Amino acid sequence: MTRHPLKTFVAAACALAFSGLASAQQSVEVLHWWTSGGEAAALNVLKGNLEKQGVKWNDMPVAGGGGEAAMTAVRARVTAGNPPTAVQLLGFDIQDWAKQGVLADLNAVAAKEGWDKVVPGALQAFSKYDGKWIAAPVNVHSTNWVWANKSVLDKAGVTTMPTSFDEFIAAAEKVQKAGFVALAHGGQPWQDATLFDSVVLSTGGIDFYKKVFIQKDKAALGSPTMLKAFDRMGQLRKLVDKDFSNRDWNLASAMVISGKAGFQMMGDWAKGEFVAAKKKPGVDFICMRFPGTQGMVSFNSDQFAMFKVGGDKAAAQAKMASAVMDPAFQSAFNVVKGSVPARTDVSDAAFDDCGKKGIKDLAEASGKGALVGSMAHGHAVPAGIKNAFYDVITRHFNGQIDSKAAVKEMVAAVDN
Protein backbone atom coordinates (compact mmCIF):
# COMPACT_ATOMS: atom_id res chain seq x y z
CA MET A 1 0.00 0.00 0.00
CA THR A 2 1.33 3.42 -1.02
CA ARG A 3 1.32 6.08 1.73
CA HIS A 4 -0.18 9.45 0.95
CA PRO A 5 2.64 12.02 0.41
CA LEU A 6 1.05 14.49 2.82
CA LYS A 7 0.69 11.83 5.52
CA THR A 8 4.32 10.83 4.96
CA PHE A 9 5.43 14.47 5.30
CA VAL A 10 3.38 14.95 8.48
CA ALA A 11 4.75 11.74 9.99
CA ALA A 12 8.30 12.79 9.18
CA ALA A 13 7.71 16.27 10.62
CA CYS A 14 6.28 14.78 13.81
CA ALA A 15 9.22 12.41 14.09
CA LEU A 16 11.63 15.30 13.63
CA ALA A 17 9.79 17.39 16.21
CA PHE A 18 9.80 14.49 18.67
CA SER A 19 13.50 13.96 17.99
CA GLY A 20 14.15 17.65 18.69
CA LEU A 21 12.14 17.41 21.91
CA ALA A 22 14.09 14.36 23.01
CA SER A 23 17.41 16.07 22.40
CA ALA A 24 16.20 19.16 24.27
CA GLN A 25 15.29 16.92 27.19
CA GLN A 26 18.81 15.49 27.22
CA SER A 27 21.02 18.55 27.37
CA VAL A 28 22.76 20.59 30.04
CA GLU A 29 23.81 24.24 29.95
CA VAL A 30 26.88 24.83 32.11
CA LEU A 31 28.42 28.14 33.19
CA HIS A 32 32.05 27.86 34.32
CA TRP A 33 35.39 29.66 34.13
CA TRP A 34 37.72 26.77 33.33
CA THR A 35 39.05 28.10 30.05
CA SER A 36 42.79 27.31 30.18
CA GLY A 37 44.08 24.50 27.98
CA GLY A 38 44.52 21.95 30.74
CA GLU A 39 41.25 22.78 32.47
CA ALA A 40 39.34 22.65 29.20
CA ALA A 41 40.90 19.28 28.43
CA ALA A 42 39.86 17.95 31.81
CA LEU A 43 36.30 19.22 31.33
CA ASN A 44 36.19 17.33 28.04
CA VAL A 45 36.27 14.13 30.10
CA LEU A 46 33.01 15.22 31.76
CA LYS A 47 31.50 16.23 28.42
CA GLY A 48 32.45 12.88 26.92
CA ASN A 49 30.91 10.95 29.82
CA LEU A 50 27.62 12.78 29.34
CA GLU A 51 27.61 12.46 25.55
CA LYS A 52 27.92 8.66 25.94
CA GLN A 53 24.66 8.87 27.91
CA GLY A 54 22.98 10.91 25.20
CA VAL A 55 23.30 14.24 27.03
CA LYS A 56 24.43 17.24 24.99
CA TRP A 57 26.72 19.76 26.71
CA ASN A 58 26.04 23.44 26.00
CA ASP A 59 29.06 25.41 27.17
CA MET A 60 28.90 28.85 28.81
CA PRO A 61 32.59 29.55 29.50
CA VAL A 62 33.53 32.84 31.20
CA ALA A 63 37.21 33.59 30.71
CA GLY A 64 39.14 35.23 33.51
CA GLY A 65 37.45 33.68 36.51
CA GLY A 66 33.98 33.74 38.00
CA GLY A 67 33.67 37.48 38.36
CA GLU A 68 30.80 39.84 38.81
CA ALA A 69 29.90 39.73 35.10
CA ALA A 70 29.32 35.97 35.33
CA MET A 71 27.14 36.34 38.42
CA THR A 72 25.20 39.18 36.76
CA ALA A 73 24.46 36.88 33.82
CA VAL A 74 23.28 34.13 36.17
CA ARG A 75 21.05 36.55 38.10
CA ALA A 76 19.44 37.75 34.87
CA ARG A 77 18.77 34.18 33.76
CA VAL A 78 17.30 33.19 37.13
CA THR A 79 15.11 36.30 37.25
CA ALA A 80 13.81 35.48 33.76
CA GLY A 81 12.91 31.98 34.93
CA ASN A 82 15.48 30.37 32.63
CA PRO A 83 18.54 29.45 34.73
CA PRO A 84 21.49 27.43 33.44
CA THR A 85 21.45 23.76 34.42
CA ALA A 86 24.62 24.12 36.46
CA VAL A 87 26.94 26.94 37.54
CA GLN A 88 30.45 26.72 38.93
CA LEU A 89 30.32 28.35 42.37
CA LEU A 90 32.46 28.63 45.50
CA GLY A 91 31.68 28.47 49.19
CA PHE A 92 29.19 30.98 50.55
CA ASP A 93 27.99 31.88 47.05
CA ILE A 94 26.35 28.43 46.89
CA GLN A 95 24.57 29.01 50.18
CA ASP A 96 23.43 32.48 49.08
CA TRP A 97 21.72 31.03 46.00
CA ALA A 98 20.22 28.22 48.10
CA LYS A 99 18.63 30.75 50.46
CA GLN A 100 16.85 32.24 47.46
CA GLY A 101 15.20 28.87 46.81
CA VAL A 102 16.47 28.52 43.26
CA LEU A 103 18.72 25.44 43.59
CA ALA A 104 17.63 21.90 42.78
CA ASP A 105 17.30 18.99 45.20
CA LEU A 106 19.96 16.36 44.40
CA ASN A 107 19.15 14.06 47.32
CA ALA A 108 17.89 11.23 45.11
CA VAL A 109 21.14 10.83 43.14
CA ALA A 110 23.25 11.56 46.25
CA ALA A 111 21.50 8.82 48.24
CA LYS A 112 21.70 6.34 45.37
CA GLU A 113 25.47 6.89 45.01
CA GLY A 114 26.34 7.31 48.69
CA TRP A 115 27.79 10.84 48.54
CA ASP A 116 27.36 11.28 52.30
CA LYS A 117 29.93 8.55 52.94
CA VAL A 118 32.67 9.78 50.58
CA VAL A 119 32.51 13.59 50.63
CA PRO A 120 34.24 15.19 53.66
CA GLY A 121 31.83 16.83 56.09
CA ALA A 122 33.58 20.19 55.77
CA LEU A 123 32.70 20.23 52.04
CA GLN A 124 29.15 19.06 52.66
CA ALA A 125 28.60 22.25 54.67
CA PHE A 126 28.65 24.07 51.33
CA SER A 127 27.21 21.29 49.11
CA LYS A 128 24.05 20.98 51.21
CA TYR A 129 21.36 23.39 52.36
CA ASP A 130 18.57 22.56 54.79
CA GLY A 131 19.59 18.89 54.65
CA LYS A 132 19.44 18.67 50.85
CA TRP A 133 22.30 18.22 48.40
CA ILE A 134 22.25 21.22 46.05
CA ALA A 135 25.75 21.07 44.50
CA ALA A 136 28.25 18.48 43.31
CA PRO A 137 31.84 19.23 44.44
CA VAL A 138 34.48 18.80 41.74
CA ASN A 139 37.67 19.19 43.73
CA VAL A 140 39.42 20.29 46.90
CA HIS A 141 42.14 22.90 46.63
CA SER A 142 44.19 23.27 49.78
CA THR A 143 45.82 26.58 50.52
CA ASN A 144 48.43 25.90 53.24
CA TRP A 145 51.23 24.79 50.90
CA VAL A 146 54.82 25.95 50.47
CA TRP A 147 56.60 25.48 47.13
CA ALA A 148 60.40 25.54 47.03
CA ASN A 149 63.16 25.44 44.41
CA LYS A 150 65.42 22.56 45.40
CA SER A 151 68.49 23.93 43.63
CA VAL A 152 68.16 27.33 45.35
CA LEU A 153 67.84 25.69 48.75
CA ASP A 154 70.90 23.53 48.07
CA LYS A 155 72.94 26.59 47.09
CA ALA A 156 71.77 28.40 50.24
CA GLY A 157 72.75 25.49 52.47
CA VAL A 158 69.19 24.58 53.49
CA THR A 159 69.59 20.83 53.86
CA THR A 160 66.46 19.94 55.83
CA MET A 161 62.94 21.22 55.35
CA PRO A 162 61.63 23.45 58.14
CA THR A 163 58.84 21.99 60.28
CA SER A 164 58.11 25.03 62.47
CA PHE A 165 57.60 28.72 61.74
CA ASP A 166 60.89 29.70 63.40
CA GLU A 167 62.75 27.06 61.38
CA PHE A 168 61.15 28.45 58.23
CA ILE A 169 62.33 31.98 59.02
CA ALA A 170 65.87 30.67 59.62
CA ALA A 171 65.85 28.77 56.30
CA ALA A 172 64.44 31.76 54.41
CA GLU A 173 67.08 34.06 55.85
CA LYS A 174 69.76 31.66 54.56
CA VAL A 175 68.21 31.89 51.10
CA GLN A 176 68.20 35.68 51.34
CA LYS A 177 71.85 35.82 52.44
CA ALA A 178 72.79 33.61 49.48
CA GLY A 179 71.52 36.34 47.12
CA PHE A 180 68.07 35.01 46.25
CA VAL A 181 64.59 36.34 46.98
CA ALA A 182 63.54 34.38 50.05
CA LEU A 183 59.77 34.56 49.60
CA ALA A 184 58.15 35.06 46.19
CA HIS A 185 54.90 36.87 46.86
CA GLY A 186 52.35 38.97 45.06
CA GLY A 187 51.08 41.99 46.97
CA GLN A 188 47.37 41.54 46.32
CA PRO A 189 44.85 41.38 49.19
CA TRP A 190 43.81 37.77 48.54
CA GLN A 191 47.47 36.69 48.42
CA ASP A 192 48.25 38.50 51.68
CA ALA A 193 45.22 36.79 53.22
CA THR A 194 46.40 33.40 51.92
CA LEU A 195 49.62 33.88 53.89
CA PHE A 196 47.61 34.96 56.91
CA ASP A 197 45.42 31.83 56.81
CA SER A 198 48.48 29.63 57.18
CA VAL A 199 50.17 31.86 59.74
CA VAL A 200 47.06 31.76 61.97
CA LEU A 201 46.87 27.96 61.62
CA SER A 202 50.56 27.62 62.43
CA THR A 203 50.46 30.05 65.36
CA GLY A 204 47.25 29.04 67.10
CA GLY A 205 46.42 25.56 65.82
CA ILE A 206 43.19 24.16 64.46
CA ASP A 207 40.94 25.06 67.41
CA PHE A 208 42.11 28.67 67.42
CA TYR A 209 41.57 28.92 63.65
CA LYS A 210 38.01 27.66 64.05
CA LYS A 211 37.30 30.13 66.86
CA VAL A 212 38.66 33.06 64.84
CA PHE A 213 37.39 32.34 61.33
CA ILE A 214 34.46 29.94 61.69
CA GLN A 215 32.92 31.06 64.98
CA LYS A 216 34.09 34.70 64.69
CA ASP A 217 34.92 34.66 68.42
CA LYS A 218 35.86 38.21 69.46
CA ALA A 219 37.94 37.06 72.43
CA ALA A 220 40.09 34.92 70.10
CA LEU A 221 40.26 37.67 67.48
CA GLY A 222 41.55 40.09 70.12
CA SER A 223 43.91 37.65 71.82
CA PRO A 224 47.71 37.61 72.26
CA THR A 225 47.76 34.68 69.81
CA MET A 226 46.31 36.91 67.10
CA LEU A 227 48.86 39.59 67.98
CA LYS A 228 51.61 37.00 67.52
CA ALA A 229 50.17 36.02 64.14
CA PHE A 230 50.39 39.62 62.95
CA ASP A 231 53.93 39.93 64.30
CA ARG A 232 54.82 36.84 62.27
CA MET A 233 53.32 38.42 59.16
CA GLY A 234 55.77 41.24 59.81
CA GLN A 235 58.61 38.71 59.74
CA LEU A 236 57.41 37.38 56.38
CA ARG A 237 57.21 40.92 55.02
CA LYS A 238 60.99 41.24 55.44
CA LEU A 239 61.51 38.23 53.18
CA VAL A 240 59.79 39.56 50.03
CA ASP A 241 61.45 41.63 47.31
CA LYS A 242 60.80 45.33 46.76
CA ASP A 243 58.79 44.75 43.58
CA PHE A 244 56.13 42.50 45.14
CA SER A 245 53.22 44.98 44.98
CA ASN A 246 50.34 43.82 42.78
CA ARG A 247 52.32 40.92 41.30
CA ASP A 248 50.09 38.10 40.05
CA TRP A 249 50.48 34.79 41.88
CA ASN A 250 51.68 32.91 38.78
CA LEU A 251 54.51 35.41 38.30
CA ALA A 252 55.58 34.71 41.89
CA SER A 253 55.52 31.00 41.04
CA ALA A 254 57.71 31.75 38.02
CA MET A 255 60.30 33.34 40.32
CA VAL A 256 60.64 30.04 42.19
CA ILE A 257 60.56 27.96 39.00
CA SER A 258 63.32 30.03 37.36
CA GLY A 259 65.57 29.96 40.42
CA LYS A 260 65.21 33.62 41.33
CA ALA A 261 63.41 32.83 44.61
CA GLY A 262 63.51 30.06 47.17
CA PHE A 263 59.96 29.77 48.49
CA GLN A 264 56.35 30.59 47.65
CA MET A 265 53.35 30.14 49.95
CA MET A 266 50.35 29.45 47.72
CA GLY A 267 47.50 27.01 47.14
CA ASP A 268 47.99 23.84 45.16
CA TRP A 269 46.96 25.47 41.87
CA ALA A 270 50.57 26.72 41.86
CA LYS A 271 51.70 23.15 41.14
CA GLY A 272 50.26 23.46 37.65
CA GLU A 273 52.81 26.18 36.90
CA PHE A 274 55.69 23.91 37.93
CA VAL A 275 54.33 20.95 35.96
CA ALA A 276 53.74 23.10 32.87
CA ALA A 277 57.40 24.17 33.11
CA LYS A 278 58.38 20.45 33.04
CA LYS A 279 59.56 20.49 36.65
CA LYS A 280 59.31 17.33 38.74
CA PRO A 281 58.33 17.17 42.43
CA GLY A 282 61.15 15.92 44.64
CA VAL A 283 63.69 16.57 41.88
CA ASP A 284 63.28 20.21 40.84
CA PHE A 285 60.84 21.47 43.44
CA ILE A 286 59.55 20.58 46.87
CA CYS A 287 55.97 20.73 48.11
CA MET A 288 55.29 20.80 51.82
CA ARG A 289 52.70 22.02 54.27
CA PHE A 290 53.26 25.47 55.71
CA PRO A 291 55.56 24.82 58.70
CA GLY A 292 53.50 24.28 61.83
CA THR A 293 50.35 23.22 59.94
CA GLN A 294 51.25 19.58 59.38
CA GLY A 295 48.14 17.45 59.83
CA MET A 296 45.84 20.41 59.05
CA VAL A 297 44.33 21.43 55.72
CA SER A 298 42.67 24.74 54.82
CA PHE A 299 40.64 24.41 51.65
CA ASN A 300 38.44 25.86 48.99
CA SER A 301 36.31 23.75 46.67
CA ASP A 302 34.91 24.29 43.19
CA GLN A 303 31.37 22.96 42.95
CA PHE A 304 28.68 22.75 40.32
CA ALA A 305 25.54 24.17 41.89
CA MET A 306 22.44 22.76 40.20
CA PHE A 307 19.64 25.25 39.56
CA LYS A 308 15.94 24.35 39.54
CA VAL A 309 15.02 23.51 35.96
CA GLY A 310 11.85 22.23 34.34
CA GLY A 311 11.02 18.56 34.51
CA ASP A 312 12.15 18.10 30.91
CA LYS A 313 15.72 19.03 31.93
CA ALA A 314 15.89 17.41 35.38
CA ALA A 315 16.90 13.96 34.12
CA ALA A 316 19.92 15.34 32.24
CA GLN A 317 20.82 17.43 35.29
CA ALA A 318 20.85 14.31 37.50
CA LYS A 319 23.11 12.58 34.96
CA MET A 320 25.48 15.54 35.08
CA ALA A 321 25.60 15.52 38.89
CA SER A 322 26.40 11.81 38.77
CA ALA A 323 29.10 12.34 36.12
CA VAL A 324 30.76 15.09 38.20
CA MET A 325 30.98 12.71 41.15
CA ASP A 326 32.27 9.80 39.04
CA PRO A 327 35.64 8.67 40.49
CA ALA A 328 37.26 8.44 37.03
CA PHE A 329 36.34 12.06 36.25
CA GLN A 330 37.42 13.23 39.71
CA SER A 331 40.83 11.64 39.11
CA ALA A 332 41.29 12.88 35.51
CA PHE A 333 40.24 16.45 36.27
CA ASN A 334 42.24 16.90 39.45
CA VAL A 335 45.45 15.45 38.03
CA VAL A 336 45.39 18.37 35.60
CA LYS A 337 44.03 21.01 37.99
CA GLY A 338 46.58 20.44 40.79
CA SER A 339 43.80 19.89 43.30
CA VAL A 340 42.61 16.60 44.79
CA PRO A 341 39.29 14.76 44.39
CA ALA A 342 36.28 15.88 46.41
CA ARG A 343 35.63 12.29 47.44
CA THR A 344 37.96 10.31 49.68
CA ASP A 345 37.67 6.95 47.88
CA VAL A 346 39.39 7.93 44.61
CA SER A 347 42.66 6.13 43.84
CA ASP A 348 45.84 8.23 43.93
CA ALA A 349 47.49 6.06 41.25
CA ALA A 350 47.42 8.73 38.53
CA PHE A 351 48.73 11.54 40.77
CA ASP A 352 52.31 12.74 41.24
CA ASP A 353 54.02 12.81 44.64
CA CYS A 354 52.51 16.18 45.60
CA GLY A 355 49.06 14.98 44.55
CA LYS A 356 49.43 11.77 46.52
CA LYS A 357 50.45 13.81 49.58
CA GLY A 358 47.46 16.11 49.06
CA ILE A 359 45.03 13.17 48.94
CA LYS A 360 46.57 11.58 52.05
CA ASP A 361 46.60 14.88 53.95
CA LEU A 362 42.96 15.57 53.08
CA ALA A 363 41.75 12.19 54.30
CA GLU A 364 43.73 12.46 57.54
CA ALA A 365 42.65 16.04 58.26
CA SER A 366 39.01 15.24 57.52
CA GLY A 367 39.12 12.23 59.81
CA LYS A 368 40.34 14.20 62.81
CA GLY A 369 38.38 17.43 62.36
CA ALA A 370 41.37 19.38 61.03
CA LEU A 371 39.91 20.22 57.60
CA VAL A 372 38.81 23.87 57.64
CA GLY A 373 37.53 26.30 55.05
CA SER A 374 40.01 28.95 53.93
CA MET A 375 39.10 32.46 55.08
CA ALA A 376 41.13 33.93 52.22
CA HIS A 377 39.20 31.92 49.65
CA GLY A 378 35.63 32.42 50.78
CA HIS A 379 35.08 29.23 52.76
CA ALA A 380 35.17 30.49 56.35
CA VAL A 381 33.32 33.80 56.64
CA PRO A 382 30.81 35.59 54.37
CA ALA A 383 32.13 38.02 51.78
CA GLY A 384 31.48 41.18 53.81
CA ILE A 385 33.60 40.04 56.76
CA LYS A 386 36.23 38.48 54.49
CA ASN A 387 36.72 41.76 52.65
CA ALA A 388 37.00 43.65 55.94
CA PHE A 389 39.66 41.17 57.08
CA TYR A 390 41.46 41.60 53.73
CA ASP A 391 41.68 45.34 54.33
CA VAL A 392 43.22 44.95 57.78
CA ILE A 393 45.69 42.24 56.73
CA THR A 394 46.92 44.12 53.66
CA ARG A 395 47.31 47.46 55.43
CA HIS A 396 49.30 45.73 58.17
CA PHE A 397 51.46 43.86 55.65
CA ASN A 398 52.24 47.16 53.92
CA GLY A 399 53.22 48.81 57.20
CA GLN A 400 50.27 51.19 57.40
CA ILE A 401 49.13 49.90 60.82
CA ASP A 402 50.98 48.02 63.56
CA SER A 403 50.05 44.62 64.99
CA LYS A 404 48.11 46.02 67.96
CA ALA A 405 45.96 48.22 65.72
CA ALA A 406 45.42 45.31 63.35
CA VAL A 407 44.12 43.09 66.16
CA LYS A 408 41.62 45.76 67.23
CA GLU A 409 40.41 46.17 63.66
CA MET A 410 39.96 42.41 63.20
CA VAL A 411 37.63 42.40 66.22
CA ALA A 412 35.67 45.33 64.78
CA ALA A 413 35.48 43.66 61.35
CA VAL A 414 33.13 40.89 62.51
CA ASP A 415 30.45 43.51 63.22
CA ASN A 416 30.31 44.36 59.50
Side-chain angles (χ1 to χ4, degrees):
M1 185 178 74
T2 305
R3 295 192 67 177
H4 192 284
L6 180 59
K7 287 183 179 178
T8 304
F9 173 79
V10 170
C14 288
L16 187 62
F18 181 79
S19 155
L21 179 63
S23 65
Q25 288 174 342
Q26 293 294 293
S27 68
V28 290
E29 189 178 19
V30 186
L31 188 148
H32 64 90
W33 52 85
W34 284 318
T35 55
S36 76
E39 291 167 344
L43 261 193
N44 280 334
V45 177
L46 184 61
K47 294 177 190 176
N49 288 352
L50 288 168
E51 283 168 4
K52 287 173 190 171
Q53 301 176 61
V55 177
K56 182 185 177 187
W57 177 288
N58 295 318
D59 219 23
M60 290 181 67
V62 183
E68 188 59 32
M71 291 305 101
T72 299
V74 175
R75 276 190 288 272
R77 292 283 302 273
V78 172
T79 302
N82 181 32
T85 317
V87 177
Q88 179 190 358
L89 292 175
L90 295 169
F92 282 92
D93 287 343
I94 302 170
Q95 296 295 300
D96 289 343
W97 282 109
K99 287 171 187 171
Q100 296 177 42
V102 295
L103 297 188
D105 182 349
L106 301 178
N107 269 0
V109 65
K112 181 182 177 184
E113 299 181 359
W115 294 4
D116 280 298
K117 296 176 183 176
V118 296
V119 176
L123 265 70
Q124 291 188 34
F126 298 101
S127 311
K128 285 179 167 181
Y129 180 76
D130 202 18
K132 296 176 182 175
W133 282 89
I134 50 172
V138 184
N139 61 12
V140 184
H141 277 298
S142 58
T143 60
N144 57 320
W145 284 103
V146 175
W147 310 90
N149 184 304
K150 193 172 185 304
S151 175
V152 169
L153 299 194
D154 289 344
K155 290 172 184 174
V158 178
T159 54
T160 57
M161 290 303 99
T163 58
S164 70
F165 185 85
D166 289 340
E167 287 178 6
F168 175 78
I169 294 297
E173 286 175 346
K174 280 187 177 181
V175 171
Q176 206 169 40
K177 285 174 185 172
F180 302 97
V181 174
L183 180 61
H185 179 63
Q188 297 169 336
W190 73 267
Q191 292 191 60
D192 298 340
T194 300
L195 292 188
F196 193 70
D197 262 358
S198 292
V199 169
V200 169
L201 262 181
S202 178
T203 304
I206 197 73
D207 290 337
F208 180 76
Y209 186 97
K210 288 177 179 177
K211 280 184 181 177
V212 168
F213 292 139
I214 310 297
Q215 299 162 21
K216 300 179 285 293
D217 184 295
K218 288 189 176 183
L221 278 163
S223 68
T225 305
M226 183 57 74
L227 182 69
K228 185 177 181 180
F230 274 107
D231 285 343
R232 285 182 162 183
M233 287 291 286
Q235 289 178 272
L236 295 180
R237 174 65 179 82
K238 295 174 182 175
L239 300 173
V240 305
D241 64 304
K242 63 180 176 59
D243 299 320
F244 80 102
S245 289
N246 210 35
R247 176 186 290 139
D248 288 334
W249 69 268
N250 56 313
L251 299 181
S253 298
M255 291 169 65
V256 179
I257 292 167
S258 66
K260 184 178 180 180
F263 297 102
Q264 181 187 22
M265 298 168 178
M266 185 50 60
D268 50 20
W269 49 90
K271 189 184 75 172
E273 300 295 307
F274 287 84
V275 173
K278 305 288 190 266
K279 303 297 182 184
K280 292 185 178 179
V283 178
D284 303 304
F285 70 97
I286 296 163
C287 57
M288 63 181 182
R289 290 295 168 188
F290 186 99
T293 72
Q294 296 88 335
M296 309 173 218
V297 172
S298 56
F299 77 90
N300 69 1
S301 172
D302 292 295
Q303 306 207 27
F304 277 121
M306 302 293 173
F307 280 72
K308 283 182 179 176
V309 291
D312 57 333
K313 298 177 182 176
Q317 185 179 64
K319 287 180 180 178
M320 179 180 170
S322 179
V324 167
M325 293 299 290
D326 178 72
F329 167 70
Q330 292 260 334
S331 175
F333 182 83
N334 287 292
V335 163
V336 172
K337 192 75 167 63
S339 42
V340 302
R343 47 189 299 160
T344 55
D345 61 343
V346 176
S347 168
D348 69 358
F351 291 80
D352 64 21
D353 288 348
C354 294
K356 290 182 195 301
K357 177 172 172 51
I359 290 171
K360 180 171 174 283
D361 289 352
L362 177 70
E364 288 180 359
S366 179
K368 64 181 186 181
L371 177 63
V372 288
S374 161
M375 177 278 293
H377 296 270
H379 281 69
V381 293
I385 296 175
K386 180 194 77 173
N387 292 334
F389 283 166
Y390 272 18
D391 181 60
V392 178
I393 294 162
T394 289
R395 284 190 294 123
H396 175 270
F397 198 72
N398 289 323
Q400 295 167 8
I401 54 174
D402 64 16
S403 295
K404 286 183 180 178
V407 168
K408 287 180 182 176
E409 292 196 24
M410 290 292 280
V411 175
V414 297
D415 291 327
N416 282 2

